[in-house]
Amino acid sequence: PVTIENWLEGFRDANLRRVRGVIVNGHITNTCLFNPFNMMTARLSSFNMVRKVARLNLTLAMQRLDRAYHVGIAEEYQASLCLLLNKIGKFPDQCRCDSSKGLNVEHFSWGTDTSSVVLSPKARELIAQITTFDKVLYEHARHLFIHDLREHGLECLLGRK
């Protein structure tokens, strides 16, 4: 059986060697379009859909975020959605800062329950190794998002569930 550590090591090592497949327990697996190695940086920099490879360019990824009409943060889904609705002129009362109600948005987990997942210290370290650029990109996106909330007078929505 493949452990999460084996799987993460395979992606880390394959990306360091710049090969297309991942070797896990002696078997080559095709990474297809899913490659967790700095995934958001890859998609926002220069991902080639035909060759299914990416040249990581953190600066370009950040510039593309800077030019985006809207940047939302999954952990701040309500605030992100309210900000977008404000931008397009469809601001509902539930998004007002003085509203006691939040948006009535149904959450779908698609049967995935991550509450019982326990990652080993080794798995956490491997994840850190394959997401170094993505961490920087996320902090940039979060900065843009908070700046945008302030600009629209909606900073009060942060942390609202």
Side-chain angles (χ1 to χ4, degrees), residues 1-117:
V2 175
T3 66
I4 187 73
E5 289 87 357
N6 295 142
W7 186 78
L8 290 165
E9 285 170 341
F11 278 104
R12 181 201 59 200
D13 297 344
N15 282 281
L16 293 176
R17 290 190 317 272
R18 297 179 191 259
V19 296
R20 289 182 69 186
V22 173
I23 300 172
V24 177
N25 288 352
H27 296 86
I28 293 181
T29 61
N30 186 344
T31 61
C32 300
L33 289 177
F34 183 79
N35 182 342
F37 192 84
N38 288 302
M39 182 185 277
M40 298 304 1
T41 306
R43 296 304 185 271
L44 285 168
S45 54
S46 57
F47 186 71
N48 183 317
M49 289 297 287
V50 175
R51 293 180 42 225
K52 298 180 184 173
V53 295
R55 301 183 81 201
L56 295 178
N57 185 331
L58 181 58
T59 302
L60 178 59
M62 291 171 81
Q63 289 170 347
R64 288 186 171 162
L65 276 181
D66 290 341
R67 292 191 307 261
Y69 177 72
H70 177 72
V71 174
I73 302 293
E75 293 83 358
E76 293 286 352
Y77 186 75
Q78 289 269 334
S80 297
L81 187 55
C82 286
L83 177 60
L84 177 60
L85 291 169
N86 183 284
K87 287 179 177 181
I88 63 172
K90 307 262 185 204
F91 195 67
D93 287 340
Q94 299 95 317
C95 287
R96 294 171 44 96
C97 290
D98 59 358
S99 174
S100 60
K101 299 179 189 176
L103 288 174
N104 186 14
V105 179
E106 191 171 347
H107 174 76
F108 291 97
S109 67
W110 306 107
T112 303
D113 179 15
T114 59
S115 65
S116 63
V117 174

